[in-house]
Amino acid sequence: MEEQLLAFLSHLQREYRYSENTIAAYRNDLGQFLEYVESHSGAKLEEWAAVSEDDIEAYLSYMKHKDQPYASSTIARKVAAIKSFYNYLTAQGLVDDNPTIDIDSPKVKKRLPQTLTIAEVDRLLEAPRSGASPKNLRDVALLNILYETGMRVTEVVSIQLDDVNLRQALLSSPTRQGEDREIPLEESTKQLLTEYLAEGRPLLAKNNGERALFLNHRGEKLTRQGLWLIIKGYAKQAGLNTEVTPHTLRHSFAVHRLSKGSSLEDIRHLLGHANISTTQIYTQMEHSEEEKDISNAASAA
């Protein structure tokens, strides 16, 4: 049995390039399942083919009703590991009947991404305006671009000087499909970017060969981690009680644009989504925001 398990884990690593942590999680989940089956049957399992559908159903019930029940997401992961393992055993001819065929994984309610209100965004965007240093000029332009365009953090730190067209107020950014998309800037953000390029970036630049738009204090391209820390610092300065990440601004951008009348197709294009189905989650978030506003208004009345 151990040999078959090791062969399965090796298959995952070889075929799917799973990380060591993922492989360890599979081994742990399958080991816990085997331990449960043996403890409840009172005998050591000699082969994986001896496991029945009833054994798996009993394990599901156990995970749901134990003294400290597993979260549905954890149960779903463990069931997925068992299903994947038996699919492998069946494909290899190591078991004749797959006991997981009729086993349903628990439904996991997807959490809607976190967003900020428009008032919270305004406070965040205002935070770096407390100074006029090159860093402040950079951060004002940076935060405004993040929120106004909905760009991913990787896209923002990858912007090159040649990607900026101030005359037409456009940023150029490649999609994940390898196509370039042009992202329009509002006049106010164009002015902030113009100011940063004229008075901020030249003082940050240490190497004339560096073409990245946003630079750190060493004159090098700003990193993802560096950008995250910038946002975290200003969120604290703005007194925001929720964790704010670059993606929080991306989600807020989409929901606020939708509430102001932008079409899903326009938002899909601006976000660089390949499929409209990915963008449709923001319609649920818009309704959630409306319900929150109604609740807040009722509480204040």
Side-chain angles (χ1 to χ4, degrees), residues 72-274:
S72 59
S73 57
T74 302
I75 296 175
R77 190 198 72 223
K78 291 180 180 295
V79 171
I82 297 169
K83 279 177 167 285
S84 181
F85 182 44
Y86 273 96
N87 287 340
Y88 167 81
L89 293 177
T90 304
Q92 296 296 314
L94 298 173
V95 298
D96 294 327
D97 297 311
N98 186 340
T100 70
I101 288 293
D102 296 321
I103 299 293
D104 293 323
S105 296
K107 294 188 184 301
V108 180
K109 185 177 181 180
K110 290 186 177 180
R111 293 183 179 179
L112 295 177
Q114 186 176 13
T115 61
L116 299 175
T117 65
I118 291 177
E120 288 173 329
V121 169
D122 288 341
R123 284 160 56 192
L124 180 65
L125 299 184
E126 190 64 28
R129 294 176 183 267
S130 58
S133 69
K135 176 180 177 295
N136 287 109
L137 295 177
R138 178 201 66 192
D139 296 345
V140 170
L142 177 64
L143 293 184
N144 275 269
I145 285 176
L146 272 168
Y147 173 63
E148 185 188 322
T149 67
M151 294 175 75
R152 300 178 181 90
V153 58
T154 303
E155 295 172 334
V156 172
V157 298
S158 298
I159 298 174
Q160 302 291 297
L161 292 175
D162 294 340
D163 297 327
V164 181
N165 185 334
L166 287 177
R167 186 172 60 83
Q168 296 184 349
L170 291 173
L171 288 180
S172 178
S173 178
T175 66
R176 288 182 172 177
Q177 294 72 47
E179 303 171 354
D180 280 342
R181 75 183 192 277
E182 291 189 332
I183 303 173
L185 297 176
E186 292 182 5
E187 183 62 27
S188 59
T189 302
K190 172 188 169 182
Q191 292 303 321
L192 293 173
L193 189 52
T194 300
E195 189 175 359
Y196 163 64
L197 285 170
E199 302 176 26
R201 190 182 184 281
L203 296 178
L204 290 173
K206 303 289 192 300
N207 177 2
N208 291 333
E210 178 58 72
R211 301 297 294 169
L213 173 62
F214 291 113
L215 305 177
N216 60 25
H217 66 281
R218 293 185 299 274
E220 300 168 349
K221 172 185 171 183
L222 189 65
T223 64
R224 290 166 51 94
Q225 179 67 10
L227 193 154
W228 188 89
L229 290 173
I230 288 170
I231 293 177
K232 184 178 180 181
Y234 286 121
K236 182 178 181 180
Q237 184 177 322
L240 302 181
N241 296 321
T242 57
E243 182 180 9
V244 182
T245 70
H247 240 60
T248 307
L249 288 177
R250 179 172 165 85
H251 296 316
S252 301
F253 153 85
V255 172
H256 297 167
R257 279 293 184 101
L258 196 61
S259 67
K260 292 177 181 178
S262 294
S263 69
L264 269 181
E265 179 56 33
D266 286 342
I267 294 171
R268 182 199 70 78
H269 172 73
L270 290 170
L271 292 176
H273 287 163

Side-chain angles (χ1 to χ4, degrees), residues 11-68:
H11 166 76
L12 294 180
Q13 197 164 34
R14 184 176 62 253
E15 296 297 324
Y16 299 102
R17 307 291 184 187
Y18 284 165
S19 68
E20 291 184 7
N21 287 340
T22 301
I23 298 297
Y26 268 89
R27 183 177 188 114
N28 183 59
D29 288 341
L30 291 169
Q32 287 181 352
F33 170 62
L34 175 61
E35 182 181 345
Y36 170 84
V37 173
E38 289 183 338
S39 67
H40 282 73
S41 67
K44 186 172 179 61
L45 208 63
E46 298 296 333
E47 55 183 15
W48 290 105
V51 172
S52 68
E53 182 178 333
D54 288 343
D55 290 327
I56 300 173
E57 290 283 10
Y59 185 51
L60 262 171
S61 179
Y62 160 74
M63 289 190 289
K64 292 177 183 176
H65 302 108
K66 60 199 288 284
D67 290 340
Q68 293 183 323

Side-chain angles (χ1 to χ4, degrees), residues 272-284:
H273 287 163
N275 299 306
I276 194 72
S277 59
T278 308
T279 320
Q280 286 173 338
I281 188 174
Y282 295 112
T283 60
Q284 301 176 44

